[in-house]
Amino acid sequence: SASEAIPELDVLIVGAGFGAFSTLHKLRQQGLNVKVYEKGSASGGIWYWNQYPGARVDSADTPIYQLFEPELYKDFTFRERYAGWKELKRYFNHVEKTWDIVKDVEYNKNVESATWDESRHQWLVECADGSETYCRWFIPAIGFAAKRYTPPIKGMGEFKGDLYHTAVWPQWGVNLKKKRIAVIGTGASGIQTIQEIGKDASHLTIYQRTPNYCLPMNQKMLDEAEEQKKKEAGEYEKAHKKCYTTFAGFTYDFSEKNTFDDTPEEREAFFHKLLIEEGGFHYWLNTYKDMLFDEKANDEAYNYWRNSVLKRVPDSKKAELLAPKNKPHPWGTKRPSLEQNFYEVVSLPHVDIVDLQTSPIEEINETGIKTKDGQVDVDIIILATGFDAVTGSLAQLNIRDTDGKSIKERWADGTRTSMGIAITKFPNLFFLYGPQAPTAFSNGPTCVQVQAEWIDKVLKRLNQDGITRFDAKEEAMKDWQRRMNEKWDNSLFPKAKSWYQGANIPGKKVEPLNWAGGMPAYIETLNKSVENNYQDWNTNAK
Ligand code: NA7
């Protein structure tokens, strides 16, 4: 019959990034027949697509932004504390070689849709090339930013110069030197692009809608011999273990103290230590535990941060746009960027900021961008306008549940998952680094490893128990939803128009998209769900 020609796998993973590699490696070891289908022509996931100038890790520093496997880090040392995309490319090549990965990855293989075959307890997955594959376990590992967002600006097609989106940057690179450039958007991608290209542009115009509360990265070169010593002394291992125990899967956690437990002098010294000495996300994730919950506490954080920016931006007009006296949203409720010399680059005389709050874009035309304040002619427009984040990746795939409904249809009135890893009536499907998991509030490698380790453990057990159908219970989804909202509603996060809650996309439902209850609670919930004979799951066990 025709179906005999369709290849059959135990596990099909979609996307060749951190999540896929971690999962592939584990599941292969338990003897499963696993393949990865990747839309792009190389590995790297987010780092494959987002090769815009200056793209680099701006969250967790070395050694925790990598897979936590000694056999991988033994022979690979990052050169920088925060790795750039070129070095991540080198890293992915290293993982491919060490784990002999490429034989199990099909590149240029774009998964488009999947339907559940009840008679076989398998998914039938279809790719853009028309090919089909049966798999028992189906694992989209496409993360939170696989669907870019381009705002519907009038006249975009008229522009005669070159127009790029940071999330699909050409692999061959773009010459940006001595050019008149416009960058729209000041999220993480915009800040990194601006800081990288600003100096060499003949003119740079930044179109800012909301200022980014950037933190100093405190980037540094790493000494290979020194890192090697740390590895031998067990410091990498210790750091990785620690990541399972902190809120965001980092090596550090929120302080035990509240903001006003300290005197103003103590607070100032503490803020200085976090912002200036430590740098990175310390000012966000290592600070007073009430900062993201209490307005007054948050004001203290904002004002200290603001003053540090004012010191670096001599032009008072620019300074007011970058760090306004009246804060547009509470500190830390949108994703802070880590910058190296952003504030110095913005201060250069040939760099302008257009404030889209007072001067919105009216149109893009043949020669450039027209706002209420007037026309700016440019050679190149860079859209750094982000993603239909967190839910957009999965919802763009035409995966149908047991009633024939797509994920998009199922989530039309609100995103519903069980523990940010499964969805009722999508049996045998697990997704990585997506909605309602710690995703945006976590170190990516920590989050995907937690999920991959759990999937590995569960599949082993299901196999032993002869279970071939595994579906999240409806009550488990409801319970997770309740817990999701509870954490969120108590925080200041609802006050920002952020992609954390879908507020960056016009018309998208505003709701918490990330688990804000921390990594340890997440791990505990996953583990508990399979206790007492798989209490949160429907199975076909006899
Ligand atoms: P982000 O963080 O979503 O940033 C997108 C930026 O584009 C942000 O400054 C937006 O302003 C701006 N934007 C979006 N739509 C428009 C329109 N219509 N007009 C003007 N400006 C607009 O995406 P990134 O790619 O920078 O980063 C995503 C994450 O990837 C990042 O946080 C890391 O975790 C990695 P807004 O702030 O909404 O006013």
Side-chain angles (χ1 to χ4, degrees), residues 46-47 50 52 56 58-59 144-145 149-153 165-167 184-191 207-212 281 329 334-337 356-357 361 383-389 433 440 497-500 503-506:
I46 196 116
W47 299 109
N50 292 263
Y52 59 80
R56 65 174 57 255
D58 70 336
S59 51
F144 81 107
Y149 174 65
T150 301
I153 301 171
H165 193 298
T166 48
I184 303 178
T186 52
S189 307
I191 298 297
Y207 293 84
Q208 172 187 289
R209 193 164 66 181
T210 311
N212 191 321
F281 274 173
H329 53 275
K334 288 185 81 152
R335 206 266 200 196
S337 262
L356 297 179
Q357 297 295 345
I361 295 178
L383 299 171
T385 45
F387 303 89
D388 178 354
Y433 210 49
K497 275 186 96 178
S498 72
W499 58 258
Y500 289 155
N504 64 322
I505 305 292

Side-chain angles (χ1 to χ4, degrees), residues 5-76:
I6 299 175
E8 209 172 317
L9 298 168
D10 294 322
V11 185
L12 176 61
I13 301 170
V14 190
F18 278 108
F21 282 13
S22 185
T23 313
L24 170 70
H25 179 64
K26 288 183 208 313
L27 298 185
R28 267 191 335 200
Q29 280 181 325
Q30 57 162 295
L32 296 171
N33 176 12
V34 192
K35 287 268 183 286
V36 176
Y37 288 175
E38 163 59 50
K39 180 173 161 182
S41 59
S43 306
I46 196 116
W47 299 109
Y48 168 82
W49 298 102
N50 292 263
Q51 298 180 8
Y52 59 80
R56 65 174 57 255
V57 179
D58 70 336
S59 51
D61 55 353
T62 304
I64 65 162
Y65 197 85
Q66 59 186 308
L67 295 171
F68 299 170
E69 311 280 348
E71 75 211 58
L72 291 177
Y73 64 71
K74 178 166 65 76
D75 305 317
F76 188 97

Side-chain angles (χ1 to χ4, degrees), residues 78-92:
F78 283 97
R79 295 194 192 102
E80 291 180 306
R81 182 179 185 184
Y82 296 92
W85 67 264
K86 282 188 191 150
E87 192 161 24
L88 283 150
K89 205 168 180 174
R90 193 167 71 85
Y91 178 71
F92 274 93

